[in-house]
Amino acid sequence: MMHILVTLLLVACHSIPTTWAVTCTGCVDLDELSFQKTVERFPYSIVKFDIAYPYGEKHEAFTAFSKSAHKATKDLLIATVGVKDYGELENKALGDRYKVDDKNFPSIFLFKGNADEYVQLPSHVDVTLDNLKAFVSANTPLYIGRDGCIKEFNEVLKNYANIPDAEQLKLIEELQAKQEQLTDPEQQQNARAYLIYMRKIHEVGYDFLEEETKRLLRLKAGKVTEAKKEELLRKLNILEVFRVHKVTKTAPEKEEL
């Protein structure tokens, strides 16, 4: 009798409704029938093999990655495959095809245009938002930076705080022109933040970065809406682009009143 009760309990635990699990915003659920056809429609696909109803920090990190990736590119499919080791063993054959270790979920694969060309996220690498971004960046030409960041801006702003004033002004003019060409409203707003920080660092020096970072962190820690928190996080991410290992440029002298 006890054996039967334990069996029924295990079945009940495995039968948790999907609404109890944490949904993966922007992710496509794939199965043995749809997997290959769907993966082959995209230049790149990142697929997480996991338990049927995933939850926890790793799943939340994959969900956060999905949100960032959708903002950054249309060339990457973000998908999940729920593997069941009970009942009808849904997607177990698909997991076996890629030698997925069902004792060590999740397993994450990056496919390159077809179901037979892929790389797997090494098992020793933690499943975090930053590690997923690095995994995709290292194995594709795609750029999925921190929320709010613009690749073209980041590339030319390395060591911005240390370059001569004339070069800073020239960069401000160049990126102002690029900002005016952007059509996406969110990217336009992010570009404006870059330009504001460029002008401030040019005017008052590197100290601005430290003071503004502290100010934004205080605001973020206060009672603000989720939308405001996301906006503040984007600004903090953009500020980090200007951080340098060592400041070699002398700060502008303050005018005496």
Side-chain angles (χ1 to χ4, degrees):
M1 175 65 84
M2 182 61 69
H3 176 73
I4 294 173
L5 288 173
V6 170
T7 302
L8 289 173
L9 180 60
L10 287 172
V11 171
C13 289
H14 282 303
S15 302
I16 296 173
T18 56
T19 52
W20 289 20
V22 179
T23 58
C24 182
T25 305
C27 297
V28 176
D29 292 325
L30 300 178
D31 56 31
E32 291 167 355
L33 291 178
S34 64
F35 182 84
Q36 186 152 339
K37 289 181 179 179
T38 307
V39 164
E40 292 180 349
R41 289 178 180 173
F42 288 81
Y44 303 98
S45 303
I46 186 167
V47 182
K48 178 169 73 74
F49 287 77
D50 208 337
I51 58 175
Y53 307 118
Y55 58 93
E57 291 182 357
K58 294 179 180 180
H59 182 65
E60 289 170 3
F62 195 78
T63 301
F65 171 80
S66 173
K67 293 177 181 178
S68 292
H70 276 285
K71 294 177 182 178
T73 180
K74 297 179 181 178
D75 292 330
L76 179 68
L77 169 72
I78 305 98
T80 57
V81 174
V83 180
K84 291 184 179 180
D85 61 355
Y86 58 92
E88 297 183 1
L89 304 178
E90 293 175 24
N91 298 324
K92 189 175 186 307
L94 186 57
D96 291 343
R97 175 180 175 180
Y98 295 103
K99 298 180 174 58
V100 171
D101 181 4
D102 60 5
K103 306 299 183 198
N104 192 31
F105 279 134
S107 293
I108 296 174
F109 295 81
L110 180 66
F111 294 88
K112 301 181 179 183
N114 66 69
D116 296 316
E117 186 181 353
Y118 61 87
V119 290
Q120 183 175 2
L121 182 72
S123 58
H124 67 271
V125 176
D126 290 336
V127 180
T128 65
L129 174 59
D130 287 341
N131 284 346
L132 289 169
K133 289 180 178 181
F135 176 54
V136 171
S137 296
N139 292 283
T140 75
L142 304 179
Y143 173 79
I144 305 172
R146 294 182 174 185
D147 285 351
C149 292
I150 301 172
K151 181 182 180 182
E152 293 78 10
F153 283 40
N154 288 6
E155 289 175 346
V156 298
L157 289 173
K158 294 175 182 177
N159 206 38
Y160 174 83
N162 285 326
I163 65 176
D165 286 353
E167 290 184 33
Q168 287 183 345
L169 289 172
K170 183 179 178 183
L171 274 176
I172 290 171
E173 289 182 7
E174 291 175 1
L175 295 191
Q176 177 72 53
K178 286 189 176 182
Q179 187 264 338
E180 292 170 359
Q181 294 172 0
L182 295 173
T183 56
D184 180 78
E186 187 171 310
Q187 278 210 322
Q188 287 180 343
Q189 184 178 6
N190 294 334
R192 279 194 290 271
Y194 274 94
L195 290 164
I196 289 170
Y197 298 152
M198 290 174 74
R199 292 188 181 101
K200 285 291 186 180
I201 291 172
H202 171 74
E203 291 167 5
V204 302
Y206 194 75
D207 286 347
F208 166 77
L209 187 145
E210 302 295 347
E211 293 302 318
E212 182 67 1
T213 298
K214 291 175 184 177
R215 186 184 75 85
L216 293 176
L217 286 172
R218 284 196 301 270
L219 289 173
K220 186 170 175 285
K223 294 182 179 180
V224 294
T225 64
E226 285 302 314
K228 187 63 177 178
K229 279 186 179 180
E230 290 180 5
E231 178 191 333
L232 293 169
L233 180 59
R234 288 194 295 272
K235 289 181 176 180
L236 285 164
N237 288 341
I238 293 169
L239 271 177
E240 284 301 305
V241 174
F242 296 93
R243 195 170 295 280
V244 294
H245 178 66
K246 183 179 180 181
V247 180
T248 59
K249 183 181 179 182
T250 305
E253 293 184 6
K254 294 182 179 179
E255 295 182 4
E256 294 184 6
L257 297 176

